[in-house]
Amino acid sequence: LPEMLDTNLVAQDGLPPVNRAYYEELLPLIREISGARDVIPQATGLTVRFSARSRRQSWAGAAGFIHLDVTQKSMRRFLDFSLAAAGREIAPWRRVVLYQTWRCVSDPPQDNLLTLCDRRSVRPADVAYYDAIIGEAGTALESIEARSCRYHPDHRWWYCPDMGAQDVLVFLGHDSDAPDDVQPFHTGFDLPGGEDAQ
C-alpha cells in the first residue's frame, strides 16, 4: 500500500508496476461479476485521494461534488486510450461496460468516504452535463464530458463505513447498451471529527 500511495501522488501516464499488479488482482473480480470476455483496465492511472484534513495530498483531491465520470461521448475517449495502453489485440465487441471500483488504503476508521446514489431515485430532469477539466492542457484528458446531478429530496444515498483493505465497492459507470441511463451518481464526503486523518 505505501508504494501504491507514493506512486500515485502524481498523475500517471501509463501503468507503473504497482498499478499493473493492482489491476491484475482486481481484473478477475470484474470478469467474474460481469461475465465479460475481455476486461481492460482504464489506463488513466489509479486515483488516490486523501481527505482535506490529511497530512498527505495527491494530484486529485477528494471529489466533493456529485458526478458521473463519463458520458457516451467521453467513454469513447477513455476506451481508445485504454485499448492503446493494453498493448494487445482485442477481438471485435458489441458491448462495452465500465465498472468502477473504490477501495480504502488506510485502516478504518476513514474520515472521507464514497457515497453512491441509488440510480432508481434519480429523475432524468436531475441530470446536468458539464466539461470536467482533469488533465494538463493539450493532453487527451484535458477536458472530459461528464454529468452532475441537481438536488432532489427523493434521492437515496448509501455508503460503507469502516472498509478494510480486502473490501471493494464495485459500481456501474457506463453501459453502451443503455448509454444515456443514469448510473450511480457518487461523491466523496468528510465525516465530522477525526483530528488524525490518514
Side-chain angles (χ1 to χ4, degrees):
L1 292 183
E3 184 183 355
M4 182 183 293
L5 292 177
D6 293 341
T7 299
N8 292 284
L9 290 176
V10 296
Q12 296 298 317
D13 187 18
L15 282 175
V18 68
N19 290 11
R20 186 177 299 278
Y22 176 77
Y23 288 140
E24 287 172 359
E25 176 186 316
L26 197 59
L27 293 182
L29 172 64
I30 302 301
R31 184 173 286 109
E32 180 182 338
I33 290 169
S34 67
R37 181 195 68 208
D38 292 302
V39 180
I40 306 298
Q42 182 176 304
T44 54
L46 297 176
T47 305
V48 176
R49 301 181 189 275
F50 298 87
S51 78
R53 298 188 304 247
S54 176
R55 293 179 296 276
R56 299 181 79 186
Q57 294 297 319
S58 72
W59 68 275
F65 58 95
I66 299 165
H67 63 283
L68 291 175
D69 294 276
V70 298
T71 65
Q72 183 175 6
K73 176 181 174 183
S74 57
M75 181 62 195
R76 184 72 229 185
R77 292 175 65 192
F78 280 110
L79 180 59
D80 289 346
F81 191 77
S82 297
L83 287 173
R88 63 183 174 92
E89 291 294 320
I90 305 297
W93 66 89
R94 184 195 66 77
R95 182 181 183 198
V96 174
V97 178
L98 170 67
Y99 288 89
Q100 295 180 256
T101 60
W102 170 274
R103 292 181 88 167
C104 292
V105 292
S106 62
D107 293 329
Q110 291 89 22
D111 61 357
N112 185 273
L113 302 175
L114 182 74
T115 182
L116 301 167
C117 189
D118 183 337
R119 66 186 189 168
R120 297 168 298 183
S121 70
V122 178
R123 308 167 308 156
D126 299 339
V127 179
Y129 286 75
Y130 71 98
D131 291 325
I133 310 300
I134 60 174
E136 296 293 325
T139 66
L141 300 176
E142 176 183 359
S143 177
I144 298 295
E145 184 180 77
R147 290 182 277 180
S148 189
C149 187
R150 297 179 180 93
Y151 169 78
H152 194 279
D154 290 342
H155 294 164
R156 294 187 304 273
W157 291 89
W158 304 90
Y159 69 96
C160 297
D162 298 333
M163 290 177 66
Q166 298 304 311
D167 298 323
V168 60
L169 282 174
V170 181
F171 57 100
L172 202 59
H174 177 82
D175 185 342
S176 65
D177 274 1
D180 296 319
D181 278 10
V182 171
Q183 304 304 345
F185 277 100
H186 51 279
T187 186
F189 72 101
D190 285 338
L191 290 174
E195 295 305 316
D196 294 326
Q198 296 190 37

